[in-house]
Amino acid sequence: MYRKRLYGKMNLSVLSTYFYFAKLILSSSLKTSKQDPQNQNQPKCMCALRRTRVFLIQGSSVGLAKAALEAINGFNLFGKQGCSWSVIFVDFDAHNRNRQTLCSLLPRESRSHNTDAALLPCLSYPAFALDDEVLFSQTLDKIIRKLKGKYGFKRFLRDGYGTALEDKTRRYYKPAEIKLFDGIECEFPLFFIFMIIDGVFRGNPAQVKEYQDLLDPLLQHTCEGCPVVPKYYYVPADFVELEKKNPGSQKRFPSNSGCDGKFFLWGQAVYIIAKLLADKLISPKDIDPIGRYVAPEDQRNVSMRFSNQGPLENDLVVHVALIAESQRLQVFLNTYGIQTQTPQQVEPIQIWAQKELVKAYFHLGVNDKLGLSGRPDRPIGCLGTSKIYRILGKTVVCYSIIFDLSDFYMSQDVMMLIDDIKNALQFIKQYWKMHGRPLFVVLIREDNIRGSRFNPILDMLAAFRKGIVGGVKVHVDRVQTLISGAVVEQLDFLRITETEEAPVFKRLEELDLPKHSKVKRQSSTPNASELEQQPDVNINDWKSKSTYEILQKLNDCNCLASQALLSSILLKREGPNFITKDGTVAEHIERIYRRAGSKKLWLVLRYSAAFAQKFSSSITPHITTLLVHGKQVTLGAFGQEEEVISNPLSPGVIKKIIYEKCHLQDEREAVVQQELVIHIGWIISNSPELFSGMLKIRIGWIIHAMKYELKIRAGGMPAKDLYQMSPSEVKQLLLDILQPQQQGRGWLNRRQIDGSLNRAPAGFYDRVWQILERTPNGLIVAGKFLPQQPTLSDMTMYEMNFSLLVEDMLQNIDQPEYRQIIVELLMVISVILERNPELEFQDKVDLDKVVQEAFHDFQKDHSLPKGSEKQDDMTAFYNTHPIGKKGTCSYLSKAVITLLLEGEMKPSNDDPCTVS
């Protein structure tokens, strides 16, 4: 083990293992002499593991962190002798995001490793980090298929450790060096032992016997006859070339573990455990005292306190408290049969916003002597806000972040609020594993029931009363009644001494309004919104006019849309502090924003939000969610330069990117891209299958696809303006285009949508690898070159880094339908090469030229409109079915075969056409 200074990064796997086994030791009644003051602070590092730079995230590290956090949550470090301040607290929402990270990584290990034997102790004994049996089976199957050998498991593909070709004087490999280790990786018997232990835990005697039979011949023995587990088996230098030519043909030799008196202690220890288990001298419970593994038949009644296993059937009932922000609102809702409480009526219990809870948790793990800070200023999720808290003698319930008043306009859409409530309830139902019921506080504001928003809110409240909301069972009652069945968290780390000043927390106060005054429910005229959203000035005409003329028009204008456009001219010309009749330009834009929000004028809202450079900080965790699902994100307008995000960034950096890249063509693009990131973050968490085949999420291109979809729906009529749609309508449109394309649509439409989404067919990137193997001079498209070397030497076929490199090659294509034709072309090339192993390309393959050749053949066979050949209008080609005699694939195939036959054929010894 190296010091952090030498190693380069903190090894979170070591930290997780320390906490996990510390819990096992303490659970076994062994005592420690003193408490490590860092114990409370270090779990925060593991909770934030998902925020590690994406290329460093490894499934085995995330899984170990997840297991450790589950094991130590709520555990008292001193057992029965401990105090309240020696209890470990785990941020359950942050920990749950680690679970999402793990599930999104598997069955891969990381971007660069398709699989890794390190996943065995993570998913099986000792961590048991995964509760998805299907995903477990997929991951285990991949490990066995890719890494299992006669002498053990390889750690990972192209692993140079211990091989005869490794330069042991260097700690890092040179570029393309890992290709040398392909096929001669060392095999470790240790992982056979883990498979024996896994078989015992899962009650699979056949698996136990299989790996015992494989392990026994590999064991060495001391002169006293004691078995010794070699660290690894390697291919000697003299046999390396023979092994590469014929994998598995050469005998491997054991490392010198045991021969020089230095045992491979890890392997030796695990062997003893496996032997004791197999001989039934100990039981699985003896080495799993906290019950991490729960057999499926025992999952119904077992305590899940420290286990990753959930009940077989999730029949959770979420407790709900309806809180009205004023007595006036309470009386109004009561006339519709909706029973609520006000903040005053739940006293002495206090209602807090989640941001107040964040302030409390900031004191968690603080140690001035060690220079340790508290929990970072990050929102508490809906799992954390569904508990009861005891803080400084107060009993506190919290409402979720979705009820916070936000400065970003999406919070003005009541349909988005309803959707968020349903998503939160689904999320709680799926991931709540604590004893006791979750208590979900629904805060109803007077603004929620104004105008056309009232009926949807009333329908949702009626659903609460019936006991089913979005498919989730709920039980509505008074807070005082529900508190008895809830989970209570004692935040005793907030110990305030006489010399310390107690933190000030702000509770939800009831609005001081006359109880019997009427709630204002002004109805909106259906056509008023459409009329008010259209500006009555042409911005291009007014850009050339004087500031005085613009000010005069601004004073006389009553149209909010026109005011926003005129103010934007002043903003760019004179700056935000320029004085107008109603204050500065910045203040005037802010007033327009507020008025447009109250009237739900979405076009004006987006204009003014963009001019004021509004930013929703919640897009930061959503971008991180996309990254841990193995996606890259690009921000920037369609057809313009894009910024690729492949690692988590701070809110300030993301805001700068958005307003630099999206502001050039249309100011509204900057705020709509924020909307899309938030929508996509929610959707990929709940329905990741909708993003299958999409490795790169190009926000500007997705907006282009949505506009194109609106154009298709309009037929010959003017298309609906995306910027006039409410955020909930935008989300629904996004969901529509993410669905598989409907039958009956033209192929141009399908290629437009799939190309805009950057969607690729299954196995696409593997096929590009196979093409590259037969293309010594590489591939080029739209000026982007993908070389054969060092690509094939630095990477493996199945790693995600190669897939991202292919996406980078396709990045310069500026037409979605053309991108999709290029994808189809690459699939065609792959099939042809697969069926003709004697062929390979002699020169660099220019994919653009191949498509052009196919298109010219298409033109010859079709009577196209006069002049279209001259213009190279490919619309008819794009709209042609790919399969069939006159399909696009037939023309692409012909062009590919012509190119192949221009080169020389590769001779083959078993070629049936060879005469002599």
Side-chain angles (χ1 to χ4, degrees):
M1 190 184 298
Y2 297 98
R3 291 181 179 275
K4 183 183 177 184
R5 175 175 55 84
L6 298 173
Y7 191 65
K9 59 183 172 65
M10 183 169 71
N11 194 325
L12 284 165
S13 296
V14 173
L15 181 62
S16 302
T17 304
Y18 160 71
F19 270 105
Y20 183 76
F21 280 99
K23 170 62 195 297
L24 292 184
I25 292 169
L26 292 167
S27 297
S28 302
S29 302
L30 296 175
K31 295 181 179 178
T32 56
S33 58
K34 63 178 182 178
Q35 179 191 13
D36 181 351
Q38 299 182 66
N39 278 342
Q40 184 59 75
N41 197 278
Q42 287 172 336
K44 294 184 304 188
C45 301
M46 297 188 290
C47 281
L49 182 59
R50 72 192 186 285
R51 299 172 66 86
T52 308
R53 293 178 74 86
V54 171
F55 59 81
L56 294 177
I57 292 180
Q58 298 170 318
S60 53
S61 296
V62 175
L64 282 171
K66 175 180 178 291
L69 290 167
E70 286 168 345
I72 64 174
N73 183 31
F75 186 68
N76 197 311
L77 292 170
F78 292 136
K80 294 179 180 177
Q81 289 77 36
C83 303
S84 57
W85 47 263
S86 58
V87 173
I88 292 286
F89 288 87
V90 171
D91 183 339
F92 205 68
D93 289 282
H95 162 61
N96 189 68
R97 287 189 285 271
N98 283 339
R99 180 205 60 77
Q100 290 179 315
T101 303
L102 177 63
C103 291
S104 65
L105 282 171
L106 296 177
R108 292 179 180 269
E109 159 73 346
S110 65
R111 268 194 190 177
S112 58
H113 289 176
N114 183 252
T115 188
D116 196 308
L119 288 168
L120 284 175
C122 163
L123 304 185
S124 184
Y125 173 81
F128 298 106
L130 192 63
D131 56 356
D132 186 331
E133 284 297 320
V134 174
L135 191 53
F136 171 81
S137 298
Q138 289 175 348
T139 307
L140 184 62
D141 178 63
K142 178 179 274 194
I143 293 170
I144 293 171
R145 279 189 292 108
K146 303 285 186 185
L147 305 178
K148 184 182 175 184
K150 289 189 291 187
Y151 298 88
F153 283 82
K154 301 170 184 178
R155 296 195 308 174
F156 50 88
L157 299 177
R158 295 187 175 180
D159 174 21
Y161 177 77
T163 62
L165 300 183
E166 183 188 37
D167 183 349
K168 295 175 176 57
T169 64
R170 287 186 283 111
R171 287 179 51 212
Y172 301 100
Y173 296 129
K174 293 178 180 177
E177 188 178 3
I178 62 169
K179 175 73 172 174
L180 297 173
F181 313 126
D182 198 0
I184 61 164
E185 302 93 336
C186 292
E187 295 179 358
F188 291 73
L190 166 71
F191 297 109
F192 280 172
I193 303 173
F194 275 112
M195 292 300 292
I196 293 171
I197 297 175
D198 179 74
V200 173
F201 266 91
R202 297 181 188 278
N204 189 343
Q207 178 177 314
V208 174
K209 187 175 187 312
E210 176 191 352
Y211 285 96
Q212 279 180 326
D213 292 344
L214 289 169
L215 178 67
D216 287 344
L218 306 177
L219 298 174
Q220 305 297 299
H221 293 84
T222 64
C223 52
E224 293 87 5
C226 297
V228 175
V229 179
K231 189 173 187 179
Y232 55 81
Y233 276 80
Y234 68 98
V235 178
D238 295 342
F239 303 146
V240 164
E241 291 305 318
L242 292 171
E243 176 68 15
K244 284 189 173 185
K245 289 178 182 176
N246 189 6
S249 62
Q250 303 303 304
K251 182 180 178 181
R252 291 172 180 255
F253 291 82
S255 61
N256 61 358
S257 298
C259 300
D260 55 3
K262 294 181 180 179
F263 292 97
F264 176 41
L265 294 179
W266 184 18
Q268 208 64 26
V270 177
Y271 172 73
I272 293 170
I273 292 173
K275 192 71 176 165
L276 291 170
L277 284 170
D279 293 344
K280 298 186 177 179
L281 297 173
I282 61 173
S283 71
K285 289 182 180 179
D286 293 323
I287 60 171
D288 184 24
I290 60 174
R292 284 290 301 160
Y293 177 75
V294 183
E297 63 269 16
D298 298 330
Q299 286 182 15
R300 289 184 182 276
N301 303 313
V302 77
S303 169
M304 302 296 167
R305 181 63 184 83
F306 302 109
S307 172
N308 70 324
Q309 306 290 331
L312 291 179
E313 295 179 10
N314 190 342
D315 201 28
L316 180 73
V317 177
V318 180
H319 286 177
V320 175
L322 301 179
I323 305 296
E325 69 173 350
S326 68
Q327 278 197 13
R328 182 173 76 174
L329 179 59
Q330 181 187 40
V331 171
F332 175 77
L333 291 173
N334 193 40
T335 61
Y336 291 89
I338 307 298
Q339 302 295 322
T340 61
Q341 290 179 279
T342 63
Q344 210 168 13
Q345 290 168 347
V346 303
E347 291 180 352
I349 300 168
Q350 295 186 4
I351 301 173
W352 286 8
Q354 61 82 31
K355 62 185 177 184
E356 299 301 310
L357 197 55
V358 171
K359 279 164 48 178
Y361 267 109
F362 180 74
H363 297 269
L364 176 64
V366 172
N367 191 304
D368 294 332
K369 292 180 180 178
L370 294 175
L372 300 176
S373 62
R375 180 187 182 276
D377 184 13
R378 293 197 302 269
I380 303 288
C382 54
L383 296 175
T385 54
S386 296
K387 297 188 283 187
I388 306 288
Y389 292 89
R390 292 282 298 162
I391 304 174
L392 297 177
K394 304 181 183 72
T395 302
V396 175
V397 296
C398 297
Y399 56 84
S400 170
I401 191 173
I402 63 177
F403 298 103
D404 281 354
L405 291 173
S406 170
D407 194 39
F408 198 65
Y409 62 85
M410 286 179 70
S411 62
Q412 300 282 348
D413 187 352
V414 73
M415 298 307 296
M416 284 298 301
L417 173 63
I418 292 170
D419 199 32
D420 288 344
I421 290 172
K422 291 178 179 178
N423 285 335
L425 291 172
Q426 283 284 358
F427 186 84
I428 292 169
K429 177 189 175 183
Q430 188 171 358
Y431 300 117
W432 184 267
K433 290 186 179 178
M434 290 169 272
H435 292 301
R437 303 285 190 187
L439 175 53
F440 187 71
V441 175
V442 176
L443 179 59
I444 310 165
R445 302 183 188 274
E446 291 207 355
D447 186 60
N448 297 146
I449 64 166
R450 291 198 172 123
S452 60
R453 289 162 271 174
F454 175 64
N455 287 335
I457 285 288
L458 186 62
D459 290 342
M460 182 194 68
L461 294 175
F464 274 115
R465 193 173 59 180
K466 291 176 182 176
I468 294 283
V469 177
V472 179
K473 292 182 180 178
V474 296
H475 172 68
V476 180
D477 213 326
R478 300 169 67 249
V479 173
Q480 290 87 339
T481 305
L482 298 175
I483 199 170
S484 60
V487 175
V488 180
E489 195 81 84
Q490 303 271 354
L491 300 193
D492 294 307
F493 54 80
L494 275 167
R495 303 190 310 280
I496 306 299
T497 63
E498 293 180 1
T499 58
E500 289 180 304
E501 187 175 339
V504 178
F505 299 107
K506 184 179 178 181
R507 64 181 181 180
L508 179 68
E509 297 289 350
E510 188 173 311
L511 290 186
D512 187 17
L513 299 169
K515 180 178 178 180
H516 298 292
S517 59
K518 284 189 177 182
V519 176
K520 294 180 181 178
R521 281 192 53 222
Q522 57 269 62
S523 58
S524 51
T525 308
N527 296 325
S529 175
E530 293 292 329
L531 292 171
E532 287 185 88
Q533 292 205 66
Q534 299 301 326
D536 55 13
V537 297
N538 187 316
I539 190 168
N540 293 321
D541 295 341
W542 282 87
K543 280 180 180 178
S544 58
K545 298 197 176 183
S546 68
T547 299
Y548 175 77
E549 289 177 288
I550 295 171
L551 284 172
Q552 284 291 105
K553 180 65 176 176
L554 189 62
N555 294 336
D556 298 338
C557 179
N558 293 321
C559 173
L560 285 177
S562 299
Q563 288 182 30
L565 293 178
L566 293 169
S567 299
S568 73
I569 300 173
L570 292 175
L571 181 69
K572 292 173 185 175
R573 185 185 296 178
E574 307 291 350
N577 297 318
F578 181 72
I579 301 297
T580 69
K581 179 183 176 182
D582 299 316
T584 65
V585 172
E587 290 170 345
H588 190 65
I589 291 174
E590 187 67 25
R591 273 194 297 274
I592 294 171
Y593 180 72
R594 299 295 170 198
R595 289 177 62 193
S598 66
K599 296 184 176 183
K600 303 298 176 284
L601 305 176
W602 302 111
L603 178 68
V604 184
L605 261 171
R606 290 185 174 102
Y607 265 129
S608 51
F611 298 148
Q613 295 208 348
K614 298 288 184 182
F615 179 72
S616 174
S617 58
S618 64
I619 79 167
T620 308
H622 285 301
I623 285 179
T624 303
T625 299
L626 293 172
L627 295 176
V628 300
H629 275 82
K631 313 296 183 184
Q632 280 190 335
V633 183
T634 69
L635 297 173
F638 175 80
Q640 305 293 320
E641 184 185 2
E642 297 169 279
E643 183 80 18
V644 179
I645 300 176
S646 54
N647 296 295
L649 300 175
S650 67
V653 173
I654 294 173
K655 179 179 180 180
K656 184 180 178 184
I657 291 171
I658 286 174
Y659 279 99
E660 282 183 356
K661 299 294 182 184
C662 305
H663 226 239
L664 302 175
Q665 196 171 11
D666 189 329
E667 291 89 347
R668 299 167 296 181
E669 185 92 4
V671 289
V672 172
Q673 293 219 3
Q674 295 179 58
E675 278 185 60
L676 263 290
V677 169
I678 293 170
H679 293 325
I680 291 170
W682 275 114
I683 295 169
I684 202 170
S685 296
N686 297 324
S687 305
E689 69 280 356
L690 291 178
F691 295 87
S692 177
M694 296 167 58
L695 197 57
K696 187 172 285 188
I697 309 294
R698 301 174 76 177
I699 305 299
W701 279 52
I702 292 175
I703 291 175
H704 176 76
M706 295 168 76
K707 291 177 179 177
Y708 188 78
E709 176 67 16
L710 291 173
K711 186 178 177 183
I712 295 170
R713 293 180 181 183
M717 302 294 290
K720 192 172 183 180
D721 186 358
L722 177 71
Y723 300 113
Q724 288 192 16
M725 297 167 66
S726 69
S728 54
E729 290 173 324
V730 170
K731 182 179 181 181
Q732 186 56 54
L733 178 61
L734 172 64
L735 283 166
D736 290 344
I737 67 164
L738 288 174
Q739 301 291 340
Q741 293 299 301
Q742 303 99 324
Q743 297 298 320
R745 284 201 168 190
W747 279 97
L748 172 62
N749 296 344
R750 295 191 193 188
R751 288 182 173 118
Q752 268 271 7
I753 298 296
D754 284 340
S756 297
L757 296 177
N758 280 228
R759 187 173 271 154
F764 171 70
Y765 304 105
D766 298 348
R767 288 184 175 274
V768 176
W769 176 278
Q770 292 163 354
I771 295 170
L772 211 55
E773 288 180 318
R774 311 267 287 278
T775 314
N777 293 303
L779 302 166
I780 188 169
V781 61
K784 274 276 191 176
F785 179 54
L786 179 63
Q788 186 192 62
Q789 296 296 344
T791 305
L792 299 187
S793 298
D794 280 347
M795 299 177 180
T796 59
M797 176 194 284
Y798 305 106
E799 69 180 68
M800 193 173 291
N801 284 340
F802 174 71
S803 304
L804 293 170
L805 198 61
V806 175
E807 280 296 328
D808 188 55
M809 178 185 72
L810 302 174
Q811 179 81 16
N812 279 8
I813 300 174
D814 57 6
Q815 289 181 298
E817 58 271 36
Y818 185 71
R819 183 191 190 278
Q820 211 57 19
I821 286 290
I822 292 291
V823 169
E824 292 172 24
L825 170 61
L826 288 166
M827 295 296 285
V828 166
I829 295 174
S830 170
V831 171
I832 292 173
L833 292 177
E834 186 177 30
R835 294 177 181 177
N836 299 273
E838 74 282 2
L839 297 177
E840 72 173 26
F841 293 103
Q842 299 300 308
D843 299 318
K844 183 189 298 181
V845 177
D846 189 329
L847 299 177
D848 296 317
K849 287 184 178 178
V850 177
V851 172
Q852 283 303 313
E853 190 66 34
F855 176 56
H856 290 151
D857 282 342
F858 174 83
Q859 286 179 311
K860 292 174 186 175
D861 289 350
H862 293 74
S863 52
L864 299 177
K866 190 174 180 181
S868 60
E869 274 194 52
K870 239 185 284 179
Q871 298 168 7
D872 281 339
D873 182 3
M874 296 180 68
T875 304
F877 188 67
Y878 294 141
N879 207 23
T880 301
H881 197 288
I883 309 299
K885 185 178 179 181
K886 298 291 186 181
T888 54
C889 285
S890 65
Y891 292 101
L892 293 171
S893 300
K894 183 180 176 182
V896 171
I897 292 170
T898 301
L899 184 63
L900 277 167
L901 294 178
E902 289 175 358
E904 296 180 4
M905 290 194 186
K906 188 168 59 176
S908 174
N909 293 331
D910 56 352
D911 189 345
C913 296
T914 302
V915 176
S916 59

